[in-house]
Amino acid sequence: MEHKTDIKSLSFEQIKALIAGYEVPSFRAKQIFEWLHVHLVTSFDEMKNIPAALREKLEADCEIRNVKKKNVLISGIDGTRKYLFELNDHQYIESVMMRYRHGNSVCVSSQVGCAMGCRFCASTIGGLIRNLTTSEILSQIYEIQKDTGERVSNVVIMGMGEPLTNYRNVMDFIRLISDENTLHISQRNITISTCGIVPAIISLSKESLKCTLALSLHAPSDEIRRKIMPIAEKYSIKEILHACDQYFNNTGRRVTFEYCLIDGINDKEEHAKALAKLLKGRNAHINLIPVNPVPENDFGAAKEQDIRLFRKILEDAGINVTRRREMGRDISGACGQLVRRTV
Ligand code: SF4
């Protein structure tokens, strides 16, 4: 099959360059861009104010990549919606919409599967299948906004995949979703999560973005981190913290450290004390996540009394701590589980 241009992944400037070759007025670029990113159309036929001849040219040269809703689970407790989407090549990904007082937040996937091998995570069990295109990351938000009829105001790139190993497409996604001529989601409301790819964090710190960086730390020492995250063989906590400091210094945006509490592995008093020592003096914020059990491994959720003590030790050390609300408990299963039940 001939290769068509993935038009929804293009910036406004790139669409202008594309249609320059068609010898049509340049204002058509703005119209096409708006149909794609404001009206969220999925076919060229829907672009009503575009002349038929131009629509035919676009149809011949380009495709509008979309994701297809296959299933949605809705929490009876808090309205959290977990979506299963199918891609053009019949792969599956999942996205979650959470309703908060400050607005709707969508957690998007950036890859099909993941190569990182974190032991508590279901998304990595089948390895990495492929990167998502910019258009496929955008489409998760577009389809959820259309499905609910509600505006999405916050984005977390924390679903399947390690976003910083799909670097270019994720950067293009952030620039497009925050563009003032699209859904215009503020970069301050976008969080990008990473398991700690040091060179990519340093590149990210130079992108002039205003996003929040969420670093999946999950351990107070390299020794424990290596037991649960293979990436820890490659980069030490010291190197990671150094890169995070650079991110903060360049962007002025505080880094959030994500910490999954796993029973008996990283959730005891000594671990909390070591973590407090590691982060003391930093403008850090720790988000504690009681881990979701994954049937394929033997990690259990931390006990409530351990979670409380852990939090208290950090707070007593003057560290800013939140505990992630367990949204959609009744529909959940860990991230990646819906896909695993489907394929
Ligand atoms: S936690 Fe994130 S980086 Fe680690 S395996 Fe899962 S999807 Fe990949």
Side-chain angles (χ1 to χ4, degrees):
M1 204 177 78
E2 78 184 282
H3 179 72
K4 290 190 171 189
T5 302
D6 170 12
I7 194 169
K8 208 196 277 179
S9 291
L10 301 184
S11 66
F12 176 56
E13 291 306 317
Q14 287 169 322
I15 291 185
K16 252 169 60 184
L18 174 84
I19 69 155
Y22 296 153
E23 295 174 352
V24 295
S26 62
F27 69 82
R28 296 289 181 207
K30 187 155 192 286
Q31 292 177 323
I32 294 167
F33 194 71
E34 276 179 6
W35 279 115
L36 293 169
H37 300 289
V38 177
H39 306 300
L40 315 182
V41 300
T42 53
S43 69
F44 293 107
D45 287 345
E46 293 165 81
M47 300 184 173
K48 296 291 179 223
N49 58 2
I50 303 292
L54 176 54
R55 273 190 269 143
E56 273 164 32
K57 278 192 185 134
L58 290 168
E59 184 83 59
D61 295 344
C62 305
E63 60 163 336
I64 302 178
R65 279 252 179 157
N66 203 24
V67 298
K68 203 163 34 164
K69 182 176 90 174
K70 292 302 280 186
N71 194 3
V72 52
L73 302 178
I74 303 170
S75 165
I77 300 174
D78 53 32
T80 294
R81 301 165 78 90
K82 194 162 197 172
Y83 286 84
L84 181 74
F85 288 118
E86 186 180 5
L87 310 177
N88 283 1
D89 54 358
H90 310 298
Q91 300 290 346
Y92 291 92
I93 53 167
E94 55 183 64
S95 326
V96 181
M97 184 180 106
M98 292 149 289
R99 292 195 164 95
Y100 293 106
R101 264 193 309 268
H102 61 263
N104 293 326
S105 182
V106 169
C107 174
V108 293
S109 293
S110 58
Q111 296 179 316
V112 182
C114 183
M116 294 297 123
C118 301
R119 289 200 39 221
F120 47 83
C121 174
S123 297
T124 194
I125 291 169
L128 173 68
I129 312 286
R130 69 168 175 87
N131 283 333
L132 295 189
T133 60
T134 300
S135 51
E136 288 166 337
I137 310 175
L138 286 167
S139 296
Q140 296 169 58
I141 296 168
Y142 293 1
E143 289 308 305
I144 289 176
Q145 190 156 301
K146 283 193 285 182
D147 192 54
T148 58
E150 293 175 30
R151 181 176 153 73
V152 172
S153 56
N154 291 63
V155 175
V156 289
I157 313 170
M158 216 180 254
M160 286 182 108
E162 161 53 58
L164 294 187
T165 59
N166 184 12
Y167 191 85
R168 243 346 337 132
N169 292 349
V170 168
M171 290 307 111
D172 289 348
F173 161 74
I174 292 172
R175 293 216 161 83
L176 271 168
I177 198 82
S178 60
D179 186 298
E180 61 181 3
N181 295 310
T182 67
L183 293 189
H184 196 194
I185 297 178
S186 162
Q187 287 182 2
R188 290 174 183 279
N189 294 346
I190 300 174
T191 298
I192 174 161
S193 147
T194 178
C195 66
I197 317 280
V198 169
I201 297 173
I202 292 173
S203 302
L204 185 67
S205 73
K206 298 175 187 158
E207 293 279 352
S208 307
L209 297 173
K210 286 283 169 208
C211 303
T212 299
L213 179 66
L215 194 288
S216 299
L217 189 58
H218 306 322
S221 69
D222 287 323
E223 196 194 341
I224 298 175
R225 202 163 188 264
R226 281 195 291 263
K227 285 190 197 153
I228 51 178
M229 301 175 75
I231 193 71
E233 303 284 351
K234 208 158 175 193
Y235 304 110
S236 67
I237 291 179
K238 194 169 165 220
E239 290 171 293
I240 291 173
L241 292 181
H242 186 73
C244 290
D245 288 345
Q246 185 163 334
Y247 187 83
F248 173 72
N249 291 336
N250 284 7
T251 62
R253 303 287 292 157
R254 190 176 60 173
V255 177
T256 299
F257 293 94
E258 304 286 331
Y259 196 102
C260 277
L261 290 157
I262 308 169
D263 187 34
I265 305 264
N266 66 358
D267 65 335
K268 297 292 178 265
E269 193 175 339
E270 74 258 29
H271 304 129
K273 285 183 176 155
L275 184 62
K277 203 166 150 207
L278 193 66
L279 297 179
K280 204 166 173 76
R282 274 199 160 74
N283 190 357
H285 174 118
I286 297 185
N287 192 21
L288 296 178
I289 309 159
V291 78
N292 281 308
V294 175
E296 289 85 346
N297 68 37
D298 48 6
F299 291 149
K303 295 179 187 70
E304 194 55 40
Q305 79 239 37
D306 288 332
I307 301 174
R308 292 227 175 97
L309 180 61
F310 202 97
R311 179 173 190 161
K312 185 170 183 314
I313 292 168
L314 293 174
E315 282 173 345
D316 288 350
I319 294 172
N320 198 328
V321 189
T322 47
R323 175 174 174 174
R324 186 186 290 176
R325 265 171 67 200
E326 291 152 75
M327 304 294 283
R329 257 190 335 275
D330 50 338
I331 55 164
S332 78
C335 176
Q337 290 285 39
L338 188 55
V339 168
R340 283 197 65 73
R341 280 207 299 271
T342 307
V343 294

